[in-house]
């Protein structure tokens, strides 16, 4: 999981980024609204953690801009305002969840997993796409109840495609998501891994959108 953290408080940002890293979650940290992406097409971010009070603007304005542009990236709003009206404003403004500071890391991780399950249209920690079942936390994939022997890269690819079953996932997005903090994975390498994955789960389950990317058939 790779997150975008938008938070201006230095101490809180450092502590949160460290806590996420300890849970195996990578992140990029921005402190100003002006540095935030205008869109999230072909980006590596699975979710945005958005503070409402920023030195050069309001998190609500960023959220509204993203939703007007039809950016569907999951967003969890972080706020010190515990009032019901503020929480409702975040949800009604397009946030997928609102968490009130201070919060326990365990609560945030649980909310992140819940948001990503909803984004992938899955009801539990075991994702089901036809005869395929995937358990992200256990790094386990099964086909018709039989465990699949996937390399770490193959499992990662399958998981990224499974986040948006039935939708085309661009090669550019895959190349960044596979190495969010490093050099993007070469397209030729992705094609090799896709070929190996097809051989293990069935070629009919991954379609190619020529010149664009790949689709996991739901």
């Amino acid at each position: 999981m790779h997150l975008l953290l938008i938070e201006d408080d230095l101490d809180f940002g450092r502590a949160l980024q460290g806590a996420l890293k300890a849970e195996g979650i990578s992140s990029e940290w921005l402190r100003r609204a002006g540095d935030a992406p205008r869109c999230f097409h072909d980006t590596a971010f699975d979710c945005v953690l958005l503070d409402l009070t920023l030195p050069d603007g309001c998190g609500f304005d960023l959220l509204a801009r993203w939703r007007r542009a039809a950016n569907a990236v999951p967003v969890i709003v972080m706020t010190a305002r515990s009032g019901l009206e503020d929480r409702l404003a975040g949800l009604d403004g397009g946030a997928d969840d609102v968490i009130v500071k201070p919060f326990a890391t365990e609560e945030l991780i649980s909310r992140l997993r819940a948001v990503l399950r909803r984004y992938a249209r899955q009801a539990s920690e075991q994702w089901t796409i036809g005869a395929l079942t995937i358990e992200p936390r256990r790094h386990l994939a099964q086909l018709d109840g039989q465990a699949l022997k996937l390399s770490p890269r193959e499992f990662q690819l399958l998981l990224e495609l499974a986040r948006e079953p039935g939708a085309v996932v661009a090669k550019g997005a895959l190349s960044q998501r596979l190495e969010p903090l490093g050099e993007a994975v070469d397209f030729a390498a992705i094609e090799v891994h896709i070929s190996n994955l097809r051989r293990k789960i069935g070629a009919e389950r991954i379609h190619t959108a020529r010149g664009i990317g790949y689709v996991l058939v739901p």
Side-chain angles (χ1 to χ4, degrees):
M1 193 187 306
H2 185 60
L3 311 179
L4 175 61
L5 170 62
I6 304 180
E7 164 64 56
D8 71 311
D9 186 284
L10 278 172
D11 291 335
F12 181 76
R14 287 194 188 104
L16 181 54
Q17 201 170 37
L20 290 170
K21 185 177 181 180
E23 294 290 332
I25 299 173
S26 59
S27 61
E28 294 180 37
W29 177 19
L30 302 176
R31 298 182 61 211
R32 292 167 42 86
D35 295 330
R38 298 197 66 84
C39 70
F40 289 89
H41 302 305
D42 295 345
T43 63
F45 301 117
D46 295 304
C47 187
V48 179
L49 300 180
L50 176 63
D51 185 35
L52 290 183
T53 307
L54 299 169
D56 61 337
C58 175
F60 278 136
D61 295 335
L62 272 179
L63 181 58
R65 187 179 76 194
W66 294 333
R67 295 317 189 214
R68 282 197 304 270
N71 288 304
V73 62
V75 176
I76 296 179
V77 162
M78 304 180 298
T79 178
R81 308 169 191 170
S82 59
L84 177 61
E85 288 186 3
D86 293 306
R87 299 199 304 275
L88 292 178
L91 294 169
D92 290 340
D96 296 89
D97 200 354
V98 176
I99 189 167
V100 178
K101 299 176 183 177
F103 50 78
T105 304
E106 293 82 2
E107 180 185 3
L108 176 62
I109 299 300
S110 180
R111 287 172 179 262
L112 277 167
R113 289 184 179 130
V115 164
L116 292 178
R117 282 199 305 272
R118 291 197 297 271
Y119 185 74
R121 299 191 289 279
Q122 298 294 335
S124 71
E125 285 293 325
Q126 185 180 78
W127 297 9
T128 302
I129 302 100
L132 276 170
T133 58
I134 305 169
E135 296 183 55
R137 294 180 68 181
R138 296 177 61 196
H139 286 258
L140 176 66
Q142 295 180 313
L143 179 63
D144 291 323
Q146 299 297 313
L148 293 166
K149 294 182 179 179
L150 303 180
S151 71
R153 185 66 88 197
E154 289 163 3
F155 181 84
Q156 196 178 7
L157 261 176
L158 179 61
L159 186 60
E160 293 302 334
L161 293 174
R163 293 187 195 281
E164 302 177 68
V168 177
V169 183
K171 284 184 181 180
L174 285 174
S175 70
Q176 293 182 52
R177 290 178 188 176
L178 294 177
E179 288 292 344
L181 296 179
E183 186 175 348
V185 177
D186 184 81
F187 284 3
I190 290 177
E191 290 173 2
V192 171
H193 292 306
I194 287 287
S195 177
N196 291 336
L197 188 56
R198 279 180 168 141
R199 181 166 43 81
K200 295 178 180 181
I201 71 171
E204 73 282 0
R205 289 188 169 86
I206 300 178
H207 289 182
T208 298
R210 192 172 298 279
I212 305 174
Y214 303 97
V215 181
L216 181 65
V217 180

